[in-house]
């Protein structure tokens, strides 16, 4: 295979990043095609209710996060690239089992739950490993650029994927997108395997310390919660992501069930606004260069919480599609700007020996909060209505900006320098 590099305004990010970016591009294409696939399969194939659709999302996320708990300390002592390859293969096998079971006539709601749990755990592990690996191959001053490239891929594939997936579902049935998504993870694993540059092994001090301290993952939470800016961003992210995602199953039931939108219309309503995410991701390095990270994290972070309330006013027909598209476009533009800056900030303000655990517990906490809120909102939608559940999530989101960065806080104090015979590297001491 030829040399793969990624350029951004004259900045070469390197061959390793190039292959990592290609692998992410392939898997993101599959994810885009399979947007809402589990909900669509549950609703259209298994005739699931609002509570069941919410339970599918919530239980998969919650138990997936539980399975991922020991992976943070385990990954800290190992090379990250083999972990990413393994997680890609696991997701391929899990997702491929669904269309196979459907063809054999044995697909059940229980299998969807198991697959969602396995893929959620693998996603957390992959995200933590890839984040730590990115730090080792990209210079700190290029992290915003690198993460903006990933964010651009996310929104670009989401623009194309959902409507294309809706067309595929209309032509070939709801299992086709899950099959394509499964194949994308296999190809992604092969892309990461194409990286030939040797990965720097963990230090002996880190290895000796971590192998005997599986409970050390708790230190990942301590690390975040004892640093004011990380703590505020962490809590804000838990609530914002949780409330946005909690409204997704009620919205799917409202659009696909009560309001009679087709699968391709549902996909189109979320695909076109993703142009805003692409624009935001591409603008992120320039906005940071002009206004600074603090301004983006504070101002854009607040703006992204203002829009989801508009989804409570969705109507049938073209009016409803316009409301969804306008609301999602504004939300996604803010997220496209905010997410790469947050990703870069977390890495730059975390000691090297703590990054895998920090990213793991961040993902576990985010996944758990999404699961809990999704389950709660499924019950709320069942007891009231999907529209009222969506409205409640939108109202609560309006209070989340109070958890963002304050003007007087920007960076964390440096870890104390080690000294004496028992000294360990600063990154190790910070996590101990």
């Amino acid at each position: 295979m030829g040399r793969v590099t990624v350029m951004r305004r004259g900045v070469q990010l390197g061959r390793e990043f190039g292959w990592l970016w290609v692998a992410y591009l392939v898997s993101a294409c599959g994810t885009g095609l399979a947007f809402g696939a589990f909900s669509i399969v549950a609703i259209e194939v298994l005739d699931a209710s609002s509570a069941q659709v919410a339970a599918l999302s919530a239980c998969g996320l919650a138990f997936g996060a539980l399975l991922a708990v020991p992976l943070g300390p385990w990954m800290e002592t190992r090379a990250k690239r083999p972990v990413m390859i393994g997680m890609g293969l696991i997701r391929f096998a899990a997702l491929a089992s669904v269309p196979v079971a459907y063809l054999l006539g044995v697909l059940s709601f229980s299998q969807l739950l198991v697959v969602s749990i396995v893929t959620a755990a693998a996603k957390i592990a992959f995200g933590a490993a890839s984040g730590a690996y990115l730090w080792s191959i990209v210079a700190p001053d290029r992290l915003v650029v690198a993460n903006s490239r990933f964010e651009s891929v996310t929104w670009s594939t989401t623009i194309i994927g959902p409507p294309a997936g809706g067309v595929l579902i209309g032509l070939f049935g709801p299992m086709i997108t899950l099959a394509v998504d499964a194949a994308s993870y296999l190809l992604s694993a092969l892309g990461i395997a194409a990286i030939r540059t040797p990965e720097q092994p963990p230090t002996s001090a880190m290895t000796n310390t971590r192998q005997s301290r599986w409970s050390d993952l708790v230190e990942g939470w301590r690390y975040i919660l004892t640093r004011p800016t990380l703590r505020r961003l962490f809590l804000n992210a838990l609530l914002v992501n949780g409330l946005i995602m909690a409204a997704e199953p009620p919205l799917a039931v409202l659009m696909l069930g009560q309001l009679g939108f087709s699968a391709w219309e549902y996909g189109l309503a979320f695909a076109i606004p993703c142009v805003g995410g692409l624009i935001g991701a591409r603008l992120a390095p320039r906005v940071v260069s002009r206004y600074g990270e603090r301004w983006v994290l504070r101002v854009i972070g607040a703006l992204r919480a203002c829009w989801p309330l508009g989804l409570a006013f969705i109507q049938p027909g073209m009016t409803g599609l316009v409301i969804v598209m306008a609301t999602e476009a504004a939300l996604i533009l803010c997220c496209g700007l905010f997410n790469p800056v947050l990703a870069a900030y977390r890495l730059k303000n975390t000691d090297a020996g703590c990054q895998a655990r920090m990213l793991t517990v961040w993902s576990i906490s985010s996944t758990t909060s999404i699961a809990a809120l999704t389950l709660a909102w499924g019950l709320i939608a069942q007891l009231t209505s999907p529209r009222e559940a969506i409205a409640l999530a939108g109202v609560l989101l309006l209070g989340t900006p109070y958890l963002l960065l304050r003007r007087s806080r920007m960076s964390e104090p440096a870890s104390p320098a080690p000294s004496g015979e028992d000294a360990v590297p600063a990154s190790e001491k910070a996590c101990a």
Side-chain angles (χ1 to χ4, degrees):
M1 296 181 180
R3 179 177 177 85
V4 178
T5 57
V6 177
M7 305 289 292
R8 170 75 176 173
R9 298 173 66 187
V11 176
Q12 183 171 325
L13 295 174
R15 179 181 181 180
E16 294 84 358
F17 177 82
W19 279 116
L20 187 63
W21 181 82
V22 169
Y24 181 76
L25 172 64
V26 172
S27 64
C29 287
T31 300
L33 284 171
F35 173 79
F38 275 94
S39 296
I40 293 173
V41 169
I43 293 170
E44 297 190 356
V45 177
L46 301 176
D47 197 26
S49 65
S50 296
Q52 286 178 310
V53 173
L56 178 63
S57 299
C59 293
L61 293 174
F63 286 102
L66 182 63
L67 287 178
V69 166
L71 294 178
W74 179 77
M75 286 188 294
E76 210 76 77
T77 66
R78 287 163 174 80
K80 306 304 183 291
R81 191 167 63 89
V83 174
M84 292 188 286
I85 295 171
M87 294 304 110
L89 295 177
I90 288 173
R91 286 193 278 185
F92 159 69
L95 287 170
S97 72
V98 176
V100 170
Y102 175 74
L103 291 175
L104 295 176
V106 295
L107 180 65
S108 66
F109 190 80
S110 298
Q111 182 179 351
L112 288 183
L113 280 175
V114 172
V115 171
S116 65
I117 290 169
V118 172
T119 54
K123 179 181 179 180
I124 291 173
F126 182 91
S130 62
Y133 184 69
L134 182 65
W135 173 263
S136 69
I137 62 174
V138 175
D141 61 345
R142 299 177 184 176
L143 283 173
V144 172
V145 174
N147 281 288
S148 73
R149 297 292 294 182
F150 287 125
E151 194 75 9
S152 297
V153 168
T154 298
W155 297 118
S156 297
T157 54
T158 307
I159 293 170
I160 301 171
V167 172
L168 289 176
I169 290 174
L171 294 175
F172 304 107
M175 292 297 160
I176 187 64
T177 56
L178 281 177
V180 174
D181 195 19
S184 73
Y185 288 117
L186 176 60
L187 294 176
S188 175
L190 294 175
I192 296 172
I195 300 175
R196 298 303 181 188
T197 304
E199 185 176 347
Q200 184 177 358
T203 63
S204 58
M206 183 186 299
T207 302
N208 293 336
T209 301
R210 302 308 172 205
Q211 286 179 339
S212 61
R213 295 179 61 185
W214 287 91
S215 62
D216 194 50
L217 182 63
V218 175
E219 296 302 320
W221 277 287
R222 184 195 64 81
Y223 190 93
I224 293 173
L225 296 177
T226 56
R227 285 156 174 77
T229 56
L230 280 180
R231 181 175 66 243
R232 296 179 72 87
L233 291 170
F234 174 69
L235 296 175
N236 174 266
L238 294 188
L239 287 176
V240 172
N241 294 337
L243 288 170
I244 289 174
M245 295 304 298
E248 193 275 332
L251 183 60
V253 172
L254 179 63
M255 293 185 67
L256 296 172
Q258 297 180 9
L259 300 182
F261 288 99
S262 64
W264 73 265
E265 288 175 321
Y266 178 73
L268 187 66
F270 292 94
I272 293 179
C274 290
V275 174
L278 176 60
I279 293 172
R282 302 290 289 182
L283 289 177
R286 299 180 184 179
V287 175
V288 168
S289 178
R290 181 168 183 177
Y291 297 104
E293 287 183 343
R294 175 168 49 183
W295 186 90
V296 173
L297 293 174
R298 190 176 67 250
V299 176
I300 304 301
L303 286 176
R304 81 193 200 284
C306 298
W307 308 108
L309 183 59
L311 295 174
F313 301 98
I314 184 174
Q315 301 296 323
M318 183 58 64
T319 301
L321 284 178
V322 171
I323 291 174
V324 174
M325 289 180 185
T327 302
E328 291 292 326
L331 170 64
I332 292 172
L333 174 63
C334 294
C335 291
L337 264 170
F338 181 86
N339 290 343
V341 180
L342 173 62
Y345 180 87
R346 290 184 308 185
L347 287 176
K348 288 191 288 187
N349 287 273
T350 302
D351 296 282
C354 304
Q355 288 170 349
R357 268 169 300 153
M358 181 276 292
L359 292 171
T360 300
V361 301
W362 195 298
S363 295
I364 288 172
S365 301
S366 179
T367 300
T368 304
S369 69
I370 290 172
L373 290 172
T374 298
L375 182 59
W377 255 251
L379 294 174
I380 291 171
Q382 192 77 12
L383 294 173
T384 59
S385 71
R387 191 183 300 276
E388 291 179 15
I390 295 167
L392 178 60
V395 170
L396 293 178
L397 276 166
L398 297 178
T400 59
Y402 290 103
L403 290 171
L404 289 168
L405 293 181
R406 295 174 179 173
R407 291 178 178 272
S408 60
R409 296 187 182 274
M410 178 55 192
S411 60
E412 306 294 351
S415 301
S419 61
E421 294 182 359
D422 296 328
V424 295
S427 60
E428 289 296 294
K429 188 172 183 180
C431 297

